[in-house]
Amino acid sequence: MDRASVAARLLGFPRLEADRPELKQAAVAVCITEHHGRPALLITRRAPRMRAHAGQLALPGGRREPGEAAVQGALRELHEEVGLTVGPDDVLGLLDDYVTRSGYVMTPVVCWAGDRGELVGAEAEVAQVHQVPLADLDVEPRFLQIPESDAPVIQLPLFDRYLHAPTAAIVHQFCQIACRGLVTRVAHLEQPVFAWR
């Protein structure tokens, strides 16, 4: 997989937006790097002192500033969290919006950073920065049923644990499109109850 093939698959992807202006707007960077000669996805572990979702694995991102477009927000957050600067020309496309239980519309912005060596997170926000080989993420998810929802909870195995939605849903959709050329929807996939606040 290379930049051109991912860009071509995203160009043909019929993205779905969530028209929910009453919710907070957020953006995350689905950032592809080249790590040890292999395409990888940038995933952080949030700092343990964070107010919300401390210690969880996540994509770089956060709430958009007033008047800020999704691409601007995702690239700003990527720079603030891991010191990585990519420009608008490095953006390959957008995935479907994901509405979180905590009241956000999350827009995933796919960008290509290439080989940037080892990365260090901003201490206040990021405990660890991982460049996870795409081959380790392009796997069959696990789906669970919970009494609190009729929708299936998605989990992706990672680091002898599980990655949860919204991150798991976004990563799964990205892998289906970028690695397999499949249009797969994930907005209906549920978050675990601990992530509802």
Side-chain angles (χ1 to χ4, degrees), residues 16-82:
L16 297 179
E17 293 183 47
D19 186 17
R20 300 287 302 275
E22 77 280 9
L23 299 180
K24 295 167 279 193
Q25 304 297 306
V28 294
V30 182
C31 183
I32 307 161
T33 64
E34 295 172 41
H35 195 240
H36 300 303
R38 298 184 295 175
L41 211 57
L42 198 63
I43 294 180
T44 66
R45 183 175 302 284
R46 292 169 61 87
R49 298 171 301 282
M50 297 288 287
R51 266 196 333 258
H53 312 298
Q56 291 182 21
L57 294 168
L59 296 164
R63 189 170 181 170
R64 286 157 52 184
E65 294 178 351
E68 188 174 56
V71 167
Q72 293 171 310
L75 298 187
R76 175 183 53 76
E77 290 281 350
L78 181 63
H79 177 72
E80 289 176 2
E81 290 188 22
V82 300

Side-chain angles (χ1 to χ4, degrees), residues 106-122:
M106 189 177 287
T107 301
V109 177
V110 181
C111 57
W112 189 279
D115 187 351
R116 299 295 183 102
E118 300 304 321
L119 299 167
V120 178

Side-chain angles (χ1 to χ4, degrees), residues 4 9 22 28 38 58 62 69 74 79 89 94 99 110 122 125 129 137 140-141 149 153 174 179 183 186 197:
R9 286 176 168 174
E22 77 280 9
V28 294
R38 298 184 295 175
H79 177 72
D89 290 346
L94 306 179
V99 178
V110 181
E125 295 187 64
V129 180
L137 295 168
E140 285 300 313
S149 175
V153 173
F174 169 76
C179 301
V183 174
V186 296
R197 56 194 184 284

